[in-house]
Amino acid sequence: GRSIGDYGLPWRRAFRGHFWQGALWGVAEISFVVLLIAGVGGYFLGPLAGGSRIFFSAASWLAVFLVVGLAEEYTFRGYLLKTLAAGMGFWPAAILLSLVFGAVHIRNPGETPIGLVTVVLVGMFFCLTVRRTGDLWFAVGAHAAHDFGQAFVYSVPNSGTLIRDPLFGSTLTGPAWLTGGAAGPEGSVLELAVLGLVFALFAALYRREGRDSPRMPG
């Protein structure tokens, strides 16, 4: 008898303030990581893709990553988080689901141990955004924008997967622990450092818990 809004996706807030704030954070985070990798000589942009097909590719991948963001956030930080938090508290549930979130990425081609740690920490960050903003829209925006920026704009592996028809013919060179290697930038130790900064900035800027947040104890 509950609506989707009860689990973190109120449609009256769809694609409004929190979503675009999250998208900005997602783009900024992956851009900073790629910039750091480029700064140590591990990333080269490569040639720009030509032809009108690139516009279709951009729209298609944007839609794909938006659907991925909606599906994964609603599953791990929406329904399951609220349901488990009712019995075990918010943060224990957040930790458990973030570990599960990391585990489902194990079979991704090219995934690495650092990449899996990053996925778990990203899951924790998205849980924090739910706690502070009151809904999933910030997390959806950040998730979709990060994946789109990594896979299409910067044209590097995303969780170990290279997409078809990215924007550039980019390359990663150097030790995998520094560049991310086959996992993409999320497998870089620089990603872990940037995530620490992202956690600190978000916690400082979004101090109050969302007034309309799912009423989850913890």
Side-chain angles (χ1 to χ4, degrees):
R2 293 181 179 272
S3 69
I4 193 172
D6 292 326
Y7 294 104
L9 284 178
W11 292 115
R12 68 184 183 280
R13 299 185 194 170
F15 307 106
R16 300 184 70 178
H18 283 157
F19 174 84
W20 295 111
Q21 291 168 31
L24 180 61
W25 278 67
V27 168
E29 191 273 342
I30 187 58
S31 296
F32 190 41
V33 173
V34 171
L35 180 63
L36 290 177
I37 296 174
V40 296
Y43 173 81
F44 297 91
L45 196 60
L48 178 68
S52 59
R53 179 179 175 80
I54 199 63
F55 296 103
F56 174 77
S57 179
S60 299
W61 286 115
L62 189 60
V64 167
F65 288 124
L66 179 58
V67 170
V68 170
L70 281 166
E72 291 192 350
E73 293 312 311
Y74 184 74
T75 300
F76 289 98
R77 264 72 67 176
Y79 175 78
L80 287 179
L81 182 57
K82 180 171 183 178
T83 301
L84 289 177
M88 62 191 302
F90 182 87
W91 288 113
I95 292 171
L96 175 62
L97 288 174
S98 296
L99 291 171
V100 174
F101 186 55
V104 300
H105 287 73
I106 289 176
R107 293 187 177 182
N108 287 352
E111 193 59 272
T112 65
I114 294 177
L116 292 174
V117 171
T118 296
V119 171
V120 172
L121 293 178
V122 167
M124 288 296 297
F125 174 68
F126 287 153
C127 288
L128 176 62
T129 69
V130 173
R131 191 69 165 175
R132 293 293 177 89
T133 67
D135 59 47
L136 289 165
W137 287 111
F138 185 104
V140 170
H143 194 149
H146 178 278
D147 286 357
F148 180 77
Q150 182 169 224
F152 180 78
V153 177
Y154 296 113
S155 311
V156 290
N158 178 45
S159 290
T161 301
L162 274 169
I163 66 170
R164 289 185 177 182
D165 301 320
L167 186 59
F168 294 100
S170 304
T171 57
L172 292 168
T173 61
W177 63 268
L178 187 61
T179 67
E186 71 185 40
S188 169
V189 294
L190 296 174
E191 172 73 17
L192 298 178
V194 172
L195 270 180
L197 178 62
V198 168
F199 265 99
L201 284 175
F202 183 86
L205 294 174
Y206 292 76
R207 292 180 177 275
R208 297 181 60 185
E209 295 182 6
R211 290 175 298 175
D212 299 324
S213 60
R215 302 187 182 280
M216 296 180 281

